[in-house]
mmCIF file of all heavy atoms in Angstrom:
data_model
loop_
_atom_site.group_PDB
_atom_site.id
_atom_site.type_symbol
_atom_site.label_atom_id
_atom_site.label_comp_id
_atom_site.label_asym_id
_atom_site.label_seq_id
_atom_site.Cartn_x
_atom_site.Cartn_y
_atom_site.Cartn_z
ATOM 1 N N ILE X 1141 11.202 0.169 0.635
ATOM 2 C CA ILE X 1141 9.829 0.489 0.251
ATOM 3 C C ILE X 1141 9.826 1.283 -1.051
ATOM 4 O O ILE X 1141 9.018 1.040 -1.940
ATOM 5 C CB ILE X 1141 9.116 1.284 1.372
ATOM 6 C CG1 ILE X 1141 9.120 0.472 2.675
ATOM 7 C CG2 ILE X 1141 7.706 1.666 0.948
ATOM 8 C CD1 ILE X 1141 8.519 -0.920 2.577
ATOM 9 N N GLY X 1142 10.735 2.215 -1.165
ATOM 10 C CA GLY X 1142 10.824 3.017 -2.377
ATOM 11 C C GLY X 1142 12.183 3.670 -2.481
ATOM 12 O O GLY X 1142 12.849 3.895 -1.468
ATOM 13 N N MET X 1143 12.567 3.951 -3.721
ATOM 14 C CA MET X 1143 13.848 4.610 -3.984
ATOM 15 C C MET X 1143 13.627 5.733 -4.985
ATOM 16 O O MET X 1143 13.659 5.506 -6.194
ATOM 17 C CB MET X 1143 14.881 3.624 -4.525
ATOM 18 C CG MET X 1143 15.343 2.597 -3.512
ATOM 19 S SD MET X 1143 16.670 1.533 -4.133
ATOM 20 C CE MET X 1143 18.080 2.633 -3.997
ATOM 21 N N ASP X 1144 13.316 6.909 -4.474
ATOM 22 C CA ASP X 1144 13.228 8.108 -5.295
ATOM 23 C C ASP X 1144 12.302 7.937 -6.500
ATOM 24 O O ASP X 1144 12.629 8.380 -7.598
ATOM 25 C CB ASP X 1144 14.631 8.542 -5.730
ATOM 26 C CG ASP X 1144 14.661 9.979 -6.213
ATOM 27 O OD1 ASP X 1144 13.965 10.819 -5.607
ATOM 28 O OD2 ASP X 1144 15.363 10.265 -7.204
ATOM 29 N N GLY X 1145 11.168 7.273 -6.314
ATOM 30 C CA GLY X 1145 10.190 7.105 -7.389
ATOM 31 C C GLY X 1145 10.548 6.051 -8.417
ATOM 32 O O GLY X 1145 9.847 5.894 -9.421
ATOM 33 N N LEU X 1146 11.597 5.297 -8.175
ATOM 34 C CA LEU X 1146 12.040 4.272 -9.121
ATOM 35 C C LEU X 1146 11.000 3.168 -9.262
ATOM 36 O O LEU X 1146 10.454 2.686 -8.270
ATOM 37 C CB LEU X 1146 13.372 3.680 -8.639
ATOM 38 C CG LEU X 1146 14.038 2.643 -9.524
ATOM 39 C CD1 LEU X 1146 14.434 3.255 -10.863
ATOM 40 C CD2 LEU X 1146 15.272 2.092 -8.813
ATOM 41 N N LEU X 1147 10.732 2.777 -10.501
ATOM 42 C CA LEU X 1147 9.872 1.632 -10.799
ATOM 43 C C LEU X 1147 10.773 0.497 -11.260
ATOM 44 O O LEU X 1147 11.578 0.670 -12.181
ATOM 45 C CB LEU X 1147 8.855 1.971 -11.890
ATOM 46 C CG LEU X 1147 7.862 3.076 -11.540
ATOM 47 C CD1 LEU X 1147 6.999 3.415 -12.749
ATOM 48 C CD2 LEU X 1147 7.000 2.668 -10.365
ATOM 49 N N ARG X 1148 10.644 -0.639 -10.627
ATOM 50 C CA ARG X 1148 11.500 -1.793 -10.942
ATOM 51 C C ARG X 1148 10.671 -3.049 -10.771
ATOM 52 O O ARG X 1148 10.187 -3.340 -9.679
ATOM 53 C CB ARG X 1148 12.702 -1.781 -10.009
ATOM 54 C CG ARG X 1148 13.680 -2.900 -10.234
ATOM 55 C CD ARG X 1148 14.812 -2.781 -9.229
ATOM 56 N NE ARG X 1148 15.461 -4.055 -9.057
ATOM 57 C CZ ARG X 1148 16.718 -4.288 -9.362
ATOM 58 N NH1 ARG X 1148 17.479 -3.332 -9.846
ATOM 59 N NH2 ARG X 1148 17.231 -5.477 -9.155
ATOM 60 N N ASP X 1149 10.515 -3.804 -11.864
ATOM 61 C CA ASP X 1149 9.697 -5.015 -11.834
ATOM 62 C C ASP X 1149 10.503 -6.287 -11.646
ATOM 63 O O ASP X 1149 9.931 -7.336 -11.383
ATOM 64 C CB ASP X 1149 8.871 -5.126 -13.123
ATOM 65 C CG ASP X 1149 7.831 -4.022 -13.203
ATOM 66 O OD1 ASP X 1149 7.224 -3.705 -12.168
ATOM 67 O OD2 ASP X 1149 7.636 -3.475 -14.300
ATOM 68 N N THR X 1150 11.814 -6.208 -11.797
ATOM 69 C CA THR X 1150 12.625 -7.396 -11.619
ATOM 70 C C THR X 1150 12.774 -7.685 -10.140
ATOM 71 O O THR X 1150 12.759 -6.771 -9.314
ATOM 72 C CB THR X 1150 14.015 -7.211 -12.256
ATOM 73 O OG1 THR X 1150 14.619 -6.058 -11.680
ATOM 74 C CG2 THR X 1150 13.920 -7.035 -13.756
ATOM 75 N N PRO X 1151 12.896 -8.936 -9.776
ATOM 76 C CA PRO X 1151 13.009 -9.258 -8.347
ATOM 77 C C PRO X 1151 14.321 -8.779 -7.745
ATOM 78 O O PRO X 1151 15.278 -8.481 -8.443
ATOM 79 C CB PRO X 1151 12.918 -10.782 -8.307
ATOM 80 C CG PRO X 1151 13.057 -11.269 -9.689
ATOM 81 C CD PRO X 1151 12.870 -10.113 -10.622
ATOM 82 N N ASP X 1152 14.277 -8.740 -6.430
ATOM 83 C CA ASP X 1152 15.447 -8.433 -5.603
ATOM 84 C C ASP X 1152 16.073 -7.092 -5.891
ATOM 85 O O ASP X 1152 17.218 -7.037 -6.306
ATOM 86 C CB ASP X 1152 16.460 -9.560 -5.702
ATOM 87 C CG ASP X 1152 15.880 -10.876 -5.212
ATOM 88 O OD1 ASP X 1152 15.038 -10.840 -4.297
ATOM 89 O OD2 ASP X 1152 16.255 -11.918 -5.738
ATOM 90 N N PRO X 1153 15.428 -6.011 -5.598
ATOM 91 C CA PRO X 1153 14.067 -5.849 -5.103
ATOM 92 C C PRO X 1153 13.118 -5.327 -6.185
ATOM 93 O O PRO X 1153 13.539 -4.675 -7.133
ATOM 94 C CB PRO X 1153 14.242 -4.776 -4.034
ATOM 95 C CG PRO X 1153 15.317 -3.883 -4.591
ATOM 96 C CD PRO X 1153 16.250 -4.811 -5.351
ATOM 97 N N ILE X 1154 11.846 -5.618 -6.005
ATOM 98 C CA ILE X 1154 10.786 -4.994 -6.803
ATOM 99 C C ILE X 1154 10.496 -3.651 -6.132
ATOM 100 O O ILE X 1154 10.378 -3.572 -4.906
ATOM 101 C CB ILE X 1154 9.524 -5.874 -6.828
ATOM 102 C CG1 ILE X 1154 9.823 -7.189 -7.554
ATOM 103 C CG2 ILE X 1154 8.357 -5.130 -7.474
ATOM 104 C CD1 ILE X 1154 8.715 -8.224 -7.445
ATOM 105 N N LEU X 1155 10.399 -2.599 -6.936
ATOM 106 C CA LEU X 1155 10.162 -1.258 -6.391
ATOM 107 C C LEU X 1155 9.047 -0.545 -7.135
ATOM 108 O O LEU X 1155 8.993 -0.651 -8.357
ATOM 109 C CB LEU X 1155 11.439 -0.418 -6.472
ATOM 110 C CG LEU X 1155 12.586 -0.907 -5.613
ATOM 111 C CD1 LEU X 1155 13.845 -0.133 -5.923
ATOM 112 C CD2 LEU X 1155 12.240 -0.817 -4.148
ATOM 113 N N PRO X 1156 8.201 0.165 -6.378
ATOM 114 C CA PRO X 1156 8.168 0.186 -4.928
ATOM 115 C C PRO X 1156 7.798 -1.198 -4.385
ATOM 116 O O PRO X 1156 7.340 -2.061 -5.129
ATOM 117 C CB PRO X 1156 7.098 1.219 -4.603
ATOM 118 C CG PRO X 1156 6.209 1.225 -5.793
ATOM 119 C CD PRO X 1156 7.092 0.926 -6.965
ATOM 120 N N HIS X 1157 7.994 -1.381 -3.098
ATOM 121 C CA HIS X 1157 7.670 -2.670 -2.471
ATOM 122 C C HIS X 1157 6.253 -3.058 -2.871
ATOM 123 O O HIS X 1157 5.328 -2.245 -2.777
ATOM 124 C CB HIS X 1157 7.782 -2.545 -0.958
ATOM 125 C CG HIS X 1157 7.662 -3.837 -0.239
ATOM 126 N ND1 HIS X 1157 6.468 -4.483 -0.084
ATOM 127 C CD2 HIS X 1157 8.607 -4.609 0.353
ATOM 128 C CE1 HIS X 1157 6.664 -5.610 0.594
ATOM 129 N NE2 HIS X 1157 7.954 -5.711 0.866
ATOM 130 N N PRO X 1158 6.058 -4.284 -3.336
ATOM 131 C CA PRO X 1158 4.763 -4.657 -3.922
ATOM 132 C C PRO X 1158 3.575 -4.710 -2.966
ATOM 133 O O PRO X 1158 2.432 -4.694 -3.417
ATOM 134 C CB PRO X 1158 5.027 -6.036 -4.535
ATOM 135 C CG PRO X 1158 6.232 -6.559 -3.849
ATOM 136 C CD PRO X 1158 7.044 -5.363 -3.433
ATOM 137 N N ARG X 1159 3.800 -4.745 -1.662
ATOM 138 C CA ARG X 1159 2.673 -4.819 -0.722
ATOM 139 C C ARG X 1159 2.648 -3.676 0.295
ATOM 140 O O ARG X 1159 1.751 -3.601 1.124
ATOM 141 C CB ARG X 1159 2.692 -6.164 0.011
ATOM 142 C CG ARG X 1159 2.396 -7.337 -0.914
ATOM 143 C CD ARG X 1159 2.639 -8.688 -0.276
ATOM 144 N NE ARG X 1159 3.991 -8.885 0.241
ATOM 145 C CZ ARG X 1159 5.073 -9.116 -0.509
ATOM 146 N NH1 ARG X 1159 4.970 -9.187 -1.808
ATOM 147 N NH2 ARG X 1159 6.261 -9.282 0.045
ATOM 148 N N ALA X 1160 3.604 -2.783 0.240
ATOM 149 C CA ALA X 1160 3.692 -1.711 1.243
ATOM 150 C C ALA X 1160 2.418 -0.882 1.300
ATOM 151 O O ALA X 1160 1.994 -0.463 2.385
ATOM 152 C CB ALA X 1160 4.886 -0.813 0.961
ATOM 153 N N HIS X 1161 1.797 -0.636 0.170
ATOM 154 C CA HIS X 1161 0.601 0.219 0.132
ATOM 155 C C HIS X 1161 -0.611 -0.424 0.802
ATOM 156 O O HIS X 1161 -1.624 0.227 1.013
ATOM 157 C CB HIS X 1161 0.263 0.588 -1.316
ATOM 158 C CG HIS X 1161 -0.130 -0.561 -2.167
ATOM 159 N ND1 HIS X 1161 0.786 -1.459 -2.681
ATOM 160 C CD2 HIS X 1161 -1.344 -0.973 -2.587
ATOM 161 C CE1 HIS X 1161 0.147 -2.368 -3.387
ATOM 162 N NE2 HIS X 1161 -1.146 -2.100 -3.344
ATOM 163 N N GLN X 1162 -0.501 -1.703 1.169
ATOM 164 C CA GLN X 1162 -1.601 -2.425 1.814
ATOM 165 C C GLN X 1162 -1.359 -2.640 3.304
ATOM 166 O O GLN X 1162 -2.172 -3.274 3.963
ATOM 167 C CB GLN X 1162 -1.757 -3.803 1.157
ATOM 168 C CG GLN X 1162 -2.012 -3.746 -0.325
ATOM 169 C CD GLN X 1162 -1.822 -5.089 -0.998
ATOM 170 O OE1 GLN X 1162 -1.100 -5.961 -0.512
ATOM 171 N NE2 GLN X 1162 -2.485 -5.269 -2.130
ATOM 172 N N ARG X 1163 -0.249 -2.140 3.824
ATOM 173 C CA ARG X 1163 0.170 -2.500 5.174
ATOM 174 C C ARG X 1163 0.268 -1.278 6.081
ATOM 175 O O ARG X 1163 1.147 -0.441 5.935
ATOM 176 C CB ARG X 1163 1.520 -3.208 5.111
ATOM 177 C CG ARG X 1163 1.399 -4.530 4.373
ATOM 178 C CD ARG X 1163 2.705 -5.213 4.256
ATOM 179 N NE ARG X 1163 2.504 -6.604 3.865
ATOM 180 C CZ ARG X 1163 3.486 -7.419 3.557
ATOM 181 N NH1 ARG X 1163 4.743 -7.001 3.593
ATOM 182 N NH2 ARG X 1163 3.224 -8.666 3.212
ATOM 183 N N ALA X 1164 -0.636 -1.242 7.061
ATOM 184 C CA ALA X 1164 -0.619 -0.133 8.020
ATOM 185 C C ALA X 1164 0.695 -0.083 8.790
ATOM 186 O O ALA X 1164 1.157 1.002 9.154
ATOM 187 C CB ALA X 1164 -1.797 -0.254 8.984
ATOM 188 N N PHE X 1165 1.329 -1.241 9.002
ATOM 189 C CA PHE X 1165 2.572 -1.242 9.768
ATOM 190 C C PHE X 1165 3.721 -0.576 9.015
ATOM 191 O O PHE X 1165 4.724 -0.212 9.626
ATOM 192 C CB PHE X 1165 2.959 -2.645 10.249
ATOM 193 C CG PHE X 1165 3.306 -3.641 9.170
ATOM 194 C CD1 PHE X 1165 4.570 -3.699 8.620
ATOM 195 C CD2 PHE X 1165 2.351 -4.556 8.738
ATOM 196 C CE1 PHE X 1165 4.895 -4.638 7.654
ATOM 197 C CE2 PHE X 1165 2.662 -5.494 7.780
ATOM 198 C CZ PHE X 1165 3.944 -5.533 7.226
#
């Protein structure tokens, strides 16, 4: 979901997770 505030736009993985902020689960 996140790695110490890292921003990463390249795939595998994109950080923070691109949909985590929309998911109650």
